[in-house]
């Protein structure tokens, strides 16, 4: 029992799980408490006379002893860099490469999807102001994170979102009718009129219905990812799938963030956590949210592969996500953390006036200077794929489509009255 | 010096000291004799009949933790979708309920989690939403509260909010040892079933015996499409021993069981206090010449109103017994329902015998929780009303 299990041996045995569940009983267990202290193991001196002895404490077996009492001070460590592919003028920083290995047509759909979300956001925000729907949340400034990351997923991948990921739904095939039916809680709403607006959900591609409690989706994503891993072990014919879990930097302060990342790491779950760090949780700036190096620095503490990306750079987001997906499926599954930096250009929601806690000029600066939509538009224009006229006609066309679905959804009947009681319990 | 001692001697004593040992003159509050209680199948002869199993079914004498272990083994064998996890379940669990299961079914399906209750339940919800049948263990019911948000806001509401997508977390079961053990004090004694019974979307189940535990747990895993909170009275883990069928069988959820028919009073309880009820009934029937009907609720929510109401309409008197606090407890819901639905048949107020409205301080457990004497007294008061 004391012998250690090799990775290849483990993979071999696990492949046979569906054919012969009992085969696993032959896997020797790793008893972490059986790491024993060999005599003299704490007195090893290297060639240069340095103390190179390793501790044998089970809680940190790879640690070395030191006689230098030095506290690790986070302020003296280098902050995690932010990965980007193009600058704010839409110019690729490495001119020798094509972005992402993706076709121009596909990049144009990303742009249109970001534009669709943006056009819909303006109209629906106004509609809420007119009292025509009860609530709304825009994702202005963060369209690049959701569209870019969703573009790297397959339809079989599973998404758990927070609520500011409309672009994920748009990129994965949610139609304007689907959005409007949910927002107006009419008879075509997937949620049967039970949820507040923006709490979208879809069975396939699976995007779990959004729930308001923050961060609860994070350990759920780990559990779902573990289920996918188990399914592929039991049935090797299933396509490789991952779970993607979105949350804001504020939600990352919840206990469920800690629980979810830790359990994903210990159970080796194929899940990509994407934190949208947009600087604010309603009125709370990040300075009052945490004192470490953002959210990314925590991933390392959990033993999770981590990257920080420029969330306004859709190429950077896409490429990081594509690589994260590959990593998540490697070694039988492992979690990845992406911290995507952005700025919440909009109010938190229709129930919030953000100028009560931040300067209007700060917001205007971000809107003008750096924005995922404008950045990609500049790249498209540089490539000769887009121009002012196309921009105007596309925006006008999208506006018309949104208003058409808006009108139809608003006039549509509400769900039947049996809905409030139905399906709460299933016998 | 006498003058100095005098104030002490005449000081009125507000304290009454007591001995923790049972009084030799005790008639009712004797230790429960699980070897002779009529609530357990001491031989295999009655088991197939009461569980509606074929007469050919074989059985084995086992205690509650062994029956839970047998149910989990049966479940893991029956479906690859079943997975078992929680704190310390890999080596067999602190109450031995998952003994040998990791060796038999592999560390991919039976495993330890980090020490995080909200993580364990969140993880179970995610796995269930993906179609698995996760059986999550919370080491003590006292420690389920960090997972309360995940249970109440997430697991319970999952199907409802998903609506037409059809996705749900109904495959999950959360097991937890509950109830008093004599020395569990504040955090190893609680029975939070009433808190979960206030949440639409979850089922709450409390078994009273080994054979019942196996049947109800297998029902919870395979026949319930809702998240189930499965609470195991931990003082029965080793104490309650009876014959348990070896094969797969289920006991329906949301169905109460009449343990003993009677005509004058209906006693409604669940879990361990049923043994106290049984002892109180034996004493009352002998001393008072009454006939008491005993009902095991088995499922706390959604509960079997019809069986209880039919019984109370027959007897005209009802007493609800449980360990957890009397205020807002399960007894309040049962009593209010009886009052509402059987008002004209009642010949006495519905009584509740339950834990007093305080915490379970180590030394005071037996004064706080219901005992045989209090149940006996309630029967007497009800009859004499």
């Amino acid at each position: 029992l004391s012998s250690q299990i090799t990775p290849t041996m483990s993979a071999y045995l696990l492949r046979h799980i569906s054919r012969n569940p009992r085969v696993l009983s032959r896997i020797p267990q790793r008893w972490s408490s059986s790491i024993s202290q060999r005599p003299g193991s704490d007195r090893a001196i290297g060639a240069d006379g340095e103390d190179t002895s390793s501790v044998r404490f089970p809680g940190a077996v790879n640690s070395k002893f030191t006689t230098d009492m030095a506290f690790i001070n986070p302020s003296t460590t280098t902050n995690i860099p932010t990965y980007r592919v193009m600058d704010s003028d839409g110019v690729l920083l490495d001119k020798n490469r094509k972005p992402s290995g993706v076709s121009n047509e596909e990049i144009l759909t990303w742009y249109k999807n970001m534009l669709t979300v943006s056009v819909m956001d303006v109209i629906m925000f106004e509609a809420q102001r007119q009292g025509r729907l009860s609530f709304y949340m825009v994702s202005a400034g963060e369209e690049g994170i959701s569209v870019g990351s969703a573009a790297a997923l397959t339809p079989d991948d599973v998404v758990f979102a927070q609520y500011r990921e409309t672009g994920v739904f748009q990129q994965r095939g949610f139609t304007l009718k689907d959005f409007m039916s949910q927002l107006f809680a009419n008879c075509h709403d997937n949620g049967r009129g039970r949820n507040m607006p923006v709490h979208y959900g879809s069975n396939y591609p699976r995007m779990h219905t959004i729930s308001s409690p923050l961060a609860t989706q994070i350990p759920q994503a780990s559990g779902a990812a573990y289920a996918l891993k188990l399914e592929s072990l039991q049935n090797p014919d299933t396509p490789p799938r991952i779970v993607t879990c979105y949350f804001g930097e504020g939600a990352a302060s919840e206990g469920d963030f800690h629980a979810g990342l830790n359990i994903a790491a210990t159970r080796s779950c194929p899940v990509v956590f994407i934190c949208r760090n947009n600087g604010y949780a309603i009125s709370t700036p990040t300075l009052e949210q945490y004192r470490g190096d953002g959210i990314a620095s925590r991933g390392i503490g959990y033993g999770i592969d981590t990257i920080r990306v420029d969330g306004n750079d859709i190429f950077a987001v896409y490429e990081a996500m594509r690589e994260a997906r590959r990593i998540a499926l490697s070694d039988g599954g492992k979690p990845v953390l992406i911290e995507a930096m952005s700025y919440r250009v909009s109010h938190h929601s229709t129930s919030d006036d953000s100028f009560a806690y931040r300067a209007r000029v700060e917001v205007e600066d971000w809107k003008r200077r750096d924005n995922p939509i404008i950045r990609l538009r500049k790249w498209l224009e540089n490539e000769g794929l887009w121009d002012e006229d196309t921009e105007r006609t596309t925006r006008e066309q999208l506006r018309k489509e949104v208003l058409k679905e808006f009108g139809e959804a608003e006039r549509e009947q509400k769900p039947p009255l049996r809905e409030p009681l139905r399906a709460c319990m299933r016998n | 010096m006498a003058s100095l001692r005098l104030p002490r001697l005449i000081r009125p004593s507000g304290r009454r000291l007591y001995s923790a040992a049972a009084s030799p003159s005790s008639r009712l509050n004797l230790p429960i004799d699980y070897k002779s209680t009529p609530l357990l199948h001491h031989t295999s002869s009655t088991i197939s009949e009461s569980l509606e199993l074929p007469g050919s079914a074989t059985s084995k004498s086992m205690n509650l933790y062994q029956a839970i272990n047998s149910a989990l083994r049966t479940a893991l064998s029956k479906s690859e979708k079943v997975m078992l996890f929680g704190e310390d379940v890999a080596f067999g669990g602190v109450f031995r309920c998952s003994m040998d299961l990791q060796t038999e079914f592999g560390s991919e399906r039976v495993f330890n989690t980090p020490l995080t209750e909200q993580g364990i339940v969140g993880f179970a919800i995610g796995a269930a939403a993906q179609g698995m049948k996760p059986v999550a263990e919370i080491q003590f019911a006292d420690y389920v509260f960090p997972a309360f948000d995940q249970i109440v806001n997430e697991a319970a509401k999952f199907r409802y909010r998903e609506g037409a997508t059809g996705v749900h977390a109904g495959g999950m079961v959360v097991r937890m040892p509950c109830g008093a053990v004599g020395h569990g004090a504040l955090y190893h004694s609680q029975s939070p079933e009433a808190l979960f019974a206030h949440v639409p979307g979850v089922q709450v189940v409390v078994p009273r015996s080994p054979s019942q535990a196996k049947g109800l747990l297998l029902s919870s895993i395979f026949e319930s499409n809702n998240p189930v909170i499965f609470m195991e009275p931990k003082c029965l883990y080793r104490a309650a021993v009876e014959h348990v069928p070896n094969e797969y069988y289920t006991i329906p959820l949301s169905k109460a069981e009449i343990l003993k028919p009677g005509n004058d009073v209906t006693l409604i309880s669940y879990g361990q206090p049923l043994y106290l009820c049984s002892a109180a009934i034996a004493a009352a029937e002998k001393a008072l010449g009454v006939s008491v009907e005993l009902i095991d609720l088995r499922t706390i929510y959604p509960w079997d109103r019809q069986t209880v109401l039919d019984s109370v309409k027959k007897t005209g008197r009802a007493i609800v017994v449980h360990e957890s606090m009397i205020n807002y407890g399960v007894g309040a819901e049962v009593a209010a329902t009886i009052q509402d639905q059987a008002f004209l048949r009642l010949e006495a107020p519905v009584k509740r015998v339950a834990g007093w409205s305080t915490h379970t301080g180590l030394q005071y457990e037996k004064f706080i929780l219901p005992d045989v004497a209090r149940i006996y007294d309630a029967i007497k008061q009800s009859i004499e009303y």
Side-chain angles (χ1 to χ4, degrees), chain B residues 6 9 65 83 116 124 128 150 157 162 174 178 197 210 256 290 301 305 332 339 347 350 380 384:
Chain B
L6 195 59
L9 290 173
Y65 87 67
M83 48 203 271
T116 165
Q150 285 285 357
K157 295 174 174 64
E162 286 272 356
V174 184
C178 70
V290 292
Y301 183 81
R305 295 168 159 227
Q339 182 274 141
E347 293 177 44
V350 182
K380 190 162 180 282
E384 292 171 354

Side-chain angles (χ1 to χ4, degrees), chain A residues 25 190 194 203 226 420 426, chain B residues 103 107-108 154 160 164-165 226:
Chain A
S25 62
N190 269 348
R194 293 168 186 154
N203 186 316
Y226 191 77
R426 185 67 55 88
Chain B
T103 320
S107 58
E108 297 297 308
E154 297 291 316
Y160 191 74
T165 74
N226 304 302

Side-chain angles (χ1 to χ4, degrees), chain B residues 89-351:
Chain B
V89 304
F91 87 111
V94 295
F95 289 109
R96 317 314 288 138
C97 291
S98 49
M99 282 257 277
D100 300 328
L101 298 178
Q102 189 180 58
T103 320
E104 282 177 51
F105 298 98
S107 58
E108 297 297 308
R109 286 173 67 203
V110 181
F111 54 87
N112 287 339
T113 63
L115 210 163
T116 165
E117 284 77 16
Q118 64 200 91
I120 292 167
V121 174
F123 192 87
I125 293 170
Q130 209 48 50
M132 302 301 285
K133 292 189 170 297
V135 181
E137 179 179 300
I138 299 293
Q139 205 158 69
F140 287 86
D142 310 63
Y143 306 128
V144 74
F145 303 112
F148 209 56
D149 183 40
Q150 285 285 357
I151 293 171
V152 175
N153 275 331
E154 297 291 316
K157 295 174 174 64
F158 213 98
R159 182 201 304 279
Y160 191 74
R161 72 175 183 233
E162 286 272 356
T165 74
V167 182
H168 60 90
M172 65 184 280
V173 176
V174 184
R175 293 176 44 238
M176 60 190 86
C178 70
V181 277
H183 51 267
L186 280 70
Y187 306 111
H188 297 82
S189 303
Q190 296 178 56
S191 297
E193 66 273 6
L195 295 169
F196 296 113
H198 197 67
V199 182
V202 292
Q203 283 180 290
V204 186
V205 178
V206 186
R208 72 157 192 282
S209 74
S211 68
Q212 204 195 51
K214 181 173 176 181
L216 287 172
L217 184 52
L218 287 170
S219 270
S220 302
I221 297 169
F222 292 109
E223 289 178 10
S224 166
N225 276 316
N226 304 302
V228 178
I229 307 294
F230 195 86
M231 299 175 54
E232 299 160 9
K234 60 182 163 295
C235 79
L236 301 178
Y237 273 143
R238 288 164 191 273
V241 180
E242 69 174 342
H243 276 263
V244 177
N246 296 324
E247 64 187 273
Y248 175 88
Y249 66 99
T250 57
I251 295 173
L253 301 188
S254 293
K255 188 86 193 76
E257 181 186 1
I258 299 171
L259 288 177
K260 178 197 163 303
N263 301 315
D264 303 321
V265 189
T266 302
L267 216 53
I268 303 134
S269 189
Y270 50 90
Q272 196 277 339
L274 284 163
Y275 297 92
L276 308 177
C277 291
S278 182
I281 289 170
E285 292 195 333
K286 196 172 157 205
L288 310 172
V290 292
S291 156
V292 183
E293 184 147 303
L294 180 60
I295 296 180
D296 179 359
L297 222 42
R298 300 199 291 201
T299 301
I300 308 305
Y301 183 81
W303 61 289
D304 182 359
R305 295 168 159 227
Q306 203 53 53
T307 298
V308 171
L309 290 170
D310 288 348
S311 171
V312 177
K313 283 175 185 169
K314 178 180 72 178
T315 62
R317 292 177 169 87
I319 300 163
V320 196
V321 183
H322 55 73
E323 262 186 28
S324 58
M325 182 174 88
I326 191 162
N327 292 17
Y328 299 94
V330 171
E333 170 66 19
V334 174
T337 302
I338 292 170
Q339 182 274 141
D340 183 50
Q341 305 278 311
F343 185 68
L344 294 177
R345 304 291 189 92
L346 283 179
E347 293 177 44
V350 182
K351 297 194 79 69

Side-chain angles (χ1 to χ4, degrees), chain A residues 14 17-19 21-22 24-27 29 31 158 160 189-192 194-195 201-203 206-211 213 215-217 219-224 226-231 233-234 241 254-256 259-260 262-263 266-267 269 419-427, chain B residues 73 77 80-83 90-91 102-116 118-132 146 149-150 153-156 158-167 199-203 223-226 254 301-302:
Chain A
L14 294 179
I17 189 169
S18 58
R19 271 160 269 171
R22 298 231 160 199
L24 281 172
S25 62
R26 279 184 248 132
I27 293 185
Q29 299 189 27
W31 300 107
V158 175
F160 285 83
D189 171 20
N190 269 348
R192 302 230 195 259
R194 293 168 186 154
N195 305 306
S202 150
N203 186 316
R206 183 159 292 182
M207 293 173 280
H208 282 290
T209 301
I210 286 161
S211 77
T216 48
Q217 77 276 18
Q220 292 172 12
S222 305
Y226 191 77
L228 297 183
K229 167 178 160 155
L230 211 52
E231 277 177 302
L233 284 170
Q234 293 171 347
R241 292 181 288 169
E254 293 281 1
D256 275 334
N262 195 33
I263 210 164
T266 56
R267 293 312 301 170
C269 304
E419 287 303 333
L421 286 171
R422 236 175 63 147
C424 158
M425 300 284 277
R426 185 67 55 88
N427 292 319
Chain B
R73 178 175 287 103
S77 309
E80 278 194 335
K81 289 183 184 300
V82 177
M83 48 203 271
F91 87 111
Q102 189 180 58
T103 320
E104 282 177 51
F105 298 98
S107 58
E108 297 297 308
R109 286 173 67 203
V110 181
F111 54 87
N112 287 339
T113 63
L115 210 163
T116 165
Q118 64 200 91
I120 292 167
V121 174
F123 192 87
I125 293 170
Q130 209 48 50
M132 302 301 285
D149 183 40
Q150 285 285 357
N153 275 331
E154 297 291 316
F158 213 98
R159 182 201 304 279
Y160 191 74
R161 72 175 183 233
E162 286 272 356
T165 74
V167 182
V199 182
V202 292
Q203 283 180 290
E223 289 178 10
S224 166
N225 276 316
N226 304 302
S254 293
Y301 183 81

Side-chain angles (χ1 to χ4, degrees), chain A residues 152 318-328 336:
Chain A
Y318 170 78
E319 289 185 12
M321 185 66 199
R322 195 179 50 181
E323 177 61 7
R325 189 176 185 280
R326 191 195 63 73
I327 297 169
V336 182

Side-chain angles (χ1 to χ4, degrees), chain A residues 121-310:
Chain A
D121 274 355
V122 172
I123 292 172
M124 299 321 288
F125 193 88
E126 285 307 315
Q128 194 282 335
R129 286 290 181 256
Q130 295 170 11
R132 295 166 80 175
L133 79 161
S134 58
F135 179 77
Y136 195 74
M137 298 177 105
V138 309
S139 49
E142 296 172 64
E143 301 93 338
I145 300 173
S146 47
V147 171
S149 58
L153 301 178
T154 73
D156 289 322
D157 292 333
V158 175
V159 163
F160 285 83
Q162 179 168 302
Y163 50 60
R164 212 182 294 286
E165 293 89 1
T166 306
V168 173
F169 284 83
Q170 172 69 24
Q171 177 68 26
R172 300 189 94 207
F174 223 57
T175 64
L176 285 174
K177 181 178 168 151
D178 293 332
F179 284 122
M180 293 299 156
S181 302
Q182 200 285 327
L183 293 169
F184 285 104
N186 68 26
C187 61
H188 301 300
D189 171 20
N190 269 348
R192 302 230 195 259
R194 293 168 186 154
N195 305 306
M196 278 176 77
V198 229
H199 291 51
Y200 310 117
S202 150
N203 186 316
Y204 188 85
R206 183 159 292 182
M207 293 173 280
H208 282 290
T209 301
I210 286 161
S211 77
S212 307
L214 288 180
T216 48
Q217 77 276 18
I218 302 175
Q220 292 172 12
S222 305
Y226 191 77
L228 297 183
K229 167 178 160 155
L230 211 52
E231 277 177 302
S232 68
L233 284 170
Q234 293 171 347
N235 180 6
D237 296 333
T238 52
R241 292 181 288 169
I242 65 156
V243 171
T244 304
C245 178
Y246 295 83
F247 51 89
E249 91 285 351
S253 295
E254 293 281 1
D256 275 334
F257 166 87
H258 165 66
L261 268 74
N262 195 33
I263 210 164
T266 56
R267 293 312 301 170
S268 306
C269 304
V271 54
V272 178
F273 298 106
I274 303 188
C275 177
R276 296 176 291 96
N277 191 335
N278 63 15
Y280 290 92
I282 305 190
S283 75
T284 306
T286 52
L287 271 177
E288 291 164 28
Q289 199 65 250
Y290 53 73
R291 278 299 157 99
D293 180 18
I295 308 305
S297 65
R298 300 180 199 167
I300 299 151
Y302 291 112
I304 292 178
D305 292 23
T306 300
I307 192 169
R308 173 176 285 154
V309 302
D310 180 345

